[in-house]
Each structure stands twice: as structure tokens, then as C-alpha cells.
Amino acid sequence: MIVALNNKCNLTKEEFIPYQKELEEIKTSAKLIWCASNIYLGMMNNSNLAIGAQNVNSKNSGAYTGEISAEQLKSLNVKYCIVGHSERREYQHESNEEINNKIKQLLKEDIIPILCVGEQKKDRDNHQEEQIITTEVLEAIKDLSEEEKNKIIIAYEPIWAIGTGLIPTTEEITKIIDVIKNLLPSNKVLYGGSANENNVEELKKVSNIDGYLLGGISLKPEKLKIFLKKLEK
Ligand code: PGA
């Protein structure tokens, strides 16, 4: 099982140091991928967790003020990077084309993209979730070779479930993961969106799931430990 932690834009340096210590002490058979804020990536070099970033520049290194390139991430030992998170699609107006370019940059540097896809509440109400997810996946993997496509991890994150405490039914998650696996049969698919220590037992019933992308509880090591323990039972 893969458990990716998305810290989002959280933790001051004073908070980060004790948090890092707690996180590194966690024992689990799950593969933990820790996506901290970019400013801390250079402090995570001795981490026994796989290091992930939350974003990357869609172009090479160069005159792009404020951006961080895949080449730079690689030099900090970053092995994974979230792309296309719905918060970036919404607030930074990231398009599928830009996400496709980011994925290409990451693959060039041997960094595994964690591609987030998901529908809004209104899309689900209109029964358009499968169509939305299919378009997001296909546009993100445009022009990639089979070998490149196979490297990507997909995270199914319904937008209406992120940070809301709501989750889809296990049947609904299973169905969307099947849609993704029909497009990319050998890729790992995670679920994200209000996954926590209280609903993990329910989520475990999703038989085709390869792991989770955790936001809120990634910041609370005590709850995370409970989540991981229940996952292993
Ligand atoms: P959440 O966030 O677990 O707080 O809902 C998940 C995510 O946005 O990746």
C-alpha cells in the first residue's frame, strides 16, 4: 500500500522540525511518500520516507521567477511530485495541457508524478464523473510513451470530498478506480479526499485501491499512526 502525505501550504519552520521527528519515527509496512512544502525539501535529505513535492514548473530551469524545476527537485532527492491537484487547478488555473507539460518535466528527471483527478459535486449530480476523470487522465498523459505512462501514480480525489469530511461510497470509488485502470491497466491508483482514521476501515473495502493520498491527517502524526495501524489489520 502507498500512503502519500500532502502537507499542502502548512507548518512553519518551528512546527516542521518536531513534526518531522514524529513522522520519521512511524513504523509501517505501507510505503510513505511525504509531500512537504517546497521550502523544506532540502531539510528532508536524511528522511527514511520517500520525498515528494507538491508542484513543479512546467518548463525547464531558467528565467521563471518563483518556480521550481524538476531538475532542482531531483537535486534535492525528490522522488515523487503531486501534479494537477484540484486546489492548483482552481486557484492557479492549471490546465490539463500545463499538467501534461509538468508530467513530462518530471519524467525527464525520473521523478514519479502523482496525478490528481476528480470531479466536482455538480459533475457527479449530472452523472458526468466518469467522463471528467477520463478527460483529465487522457489529456495529462498525452504524447507519453507506454513506458512513461506506466510510471505515473493516479490519485482519484473527488473535489467535493477534499477537506469536507464527506467520502463517496465504496462502490462509487471502486467504479472510478476501474475507469482509471481501464485507461492505465498497470498503474497504481490512490484514493484521496477526507480519508482518515475513522473511515479507513470502510475505505479498505475498496478492493482495487493501491493506496491513499492524505491531506488533513497528514499533519496529525497521532491520527496518522491510527490510520496506518488500521490499514494493516
Ligand atoms: P484531505 O485532502 O485529506 O484533507 O481531504 C486530501 C488532498 O487534498 O490531497
Side-chain angles (χ1 to χ4, degrees), residues 178-206:
D178 271 343
V179 169
I180 297 169
K181 292 200 173 192
N182 275 334
L183 299 168
L184 294 166
S186 35
N187 294 54
K188 300 266 187 241
V189 182
L190 317 181
Y191 169 78
S194 293
N196 61 39
E197 76 288 8
N198 298 319
N199 57 27
V200 60
E201 268 144 353
E202 186 63 19
L203 290 170
K204 267 169 70 176
K205 294 181 191 155
V206 179

Side-chain angles (χ1 to χ4, degrees), residues 6 8 85 87 157 161-164 192-195 213-217:
N6 178 9
K8 306 194 181 186
H85 191 281
E87 287 150 14
E157 296 208 306
I162 296 175
T164 59
S194 293
L213 177 55
L214 307 177
I217 78 157

Side-chain angles (χ1 to χ4, degrees), residues 166-179:
L166 303 171
I167 56 167
T169 63
T170 52
E171 292 76 22
E172 286 168 339
I173 299 174
T174 307
K175 201 165 148 206
I176 295 293
I177 294 183
D178 271 343
V179 169

Side-chain angles (χ1 to χ4, degrees), residues 11-67:
L11 303 172
T12 62
K13 189 176 171 193
E14 287 69 28
E15 291 164 341
F16 180 83
I17 292 166
Y19 168 80
Q20 175 170 29
K21 194 165 172 289
E22 273 193 87
L23 215 54
E24 290 184 346
E25 281 166 4
I26 292 179
K27 305 243 179 319
T28 174
S29 61
K31 177 165 184 58
L32 290 182
I33 303 172
W34 178 18
C35 306
S37 292
N38 283 340
I39 49 169
Y40 300 129
L41 295 175
M43 293 164 64
M44 293 159 66
N45 265 329
N46 296 322
S47 177
N48 52 21
L49 296 89
I51 302 176
Q54 298 173 15
N55 182 37
V56 66
N57 192 16
S58 59
K59 302 195 177 68
N60 286 324
S61 303
Y64 303 104
T65 303
E67 292 291 344

Side-chain angles (χ1 to χ4, degrees), residues 52-99:
Q54 298 173 15
N55 182 37
V56 66
N57 192 16
S58 59
K59 302 195 177 68
N60 286 324
S61 303
Y64 303 104
T65 303
E67 292 291 344
I68 297 170
S69 68
E71 185 188 24
Q72 290 178 302
L73 292 179
K74 188 179 184 180
S75 74
L76 294 176
N77 208 21
V78 169
K79 303 281 191 244
Y80 297 84
C81 182
I82 296 172
V83 258
H85 191 281
S86 60
E87 287 150 14
R88 295 200 59 86
R89 291 181 193 258
E90 182 180 353
Y91 306 130
Q92 268 69 38
H93 311 291
E94 254 178 37
S95 65
N96 287 327
E97 188 186 355
E98 196 176 355
I99 290 162

